[in-house]
Amino acid sequence: MRLMRKLGVALAAAALVAAVPAPASAASDDIAPGAWEPAPQGGFELPAGARCDFAVQVEPTVDEVRKLTLSTYPDGSPRREIYAGDLIDRVTNLETGATSTADASGTAMIDYGTDGSMTWYVTGPVLIGFRENGGNLPKGLWIIDGQFVLQFSATGQRTLTMLHGTTHNVCTDVD
């Protein structure tokens, strides 16, 4: 029942995201508290064995992700945020040069714990890496699509609770 209540909050947040337009662009100095702001995702490289059996690079080709801070802790750090916007990543096998694109344009409401933990309530696709023995999915770079909750412990352990959707290991696309 608790999961259903939290999912209801996530779906309400997704509806809010759809109803509130993100700004076309804004410099960070021009952003008022509580306003949508750019949230660039940036690229990264991982060595062989970290997520895929080979070295991999993930680079956004489209990054229109924005975030809205809904609440903060007394020190000003975020307590709850919503992330939304188009994000298309190019995934490259650095050993063979094989590439694939991954649509990670989901909407997520994220609750941040004071201990470094996070809980994501997600609708739509996201690209998430799981390390060996790092959660309840095998090692890989996963497109998780649908409606789900993803919990990150303070130590980085990841627990996926899928309400409805699919998982796909992008490592297999560039192997």
Side-chain angles (χ1 to χ4, degrees), residues 87-157:
L87 179 62
I88 307 296
D89 289 319
R90 180 179 39 246
V91 179
T92 303
N93 178 329
L94 293 176
E95 296 171 14
T96 67
T99 65
S100 181
T101 57
D103 182 352
S105 302
T107 299
M109 183 176 70
I110 302 175
D111 286 337
Y112 299 95
T114 56
D115 62 353
S117 63
M118 295 183 288
T119 302
W120 296 14
Y121 304 94
V122 182
T123 298
V126 296
L127 179 65
I128 298 290
F130 277 74
R131 68 180 188 273
E132 188 74 36
N133 299 314
N136 62 343
L137 283 179
K139 176 181 78 172
L141 282 174
W142 294 91
I143 286 289
I144 307 172
D145 194 3
Q147 295 175 333
F148 56 94
V149 176
L150 188 58
Q151 295 174 301
F152 296 78
S153 74
T155 62
Q157 191 75 10

Side-chain angles (χ1 to χ4, degrees), residues 4 8 29 37 45 54 58 69 72 85 93-94 111 117 136-137 140 149 163 166 175:
M4 294 303 291
D29 293 341
E37 59 185 276
E45 290 185 11
F54 43 84
V58 177
T69 301
T72 59
N93 178 329
L94 293 176
D111 286 337
S117 63
N136 62 343
L137 283 179
V149 176
L163 183 63
T166 60
D175 192 8

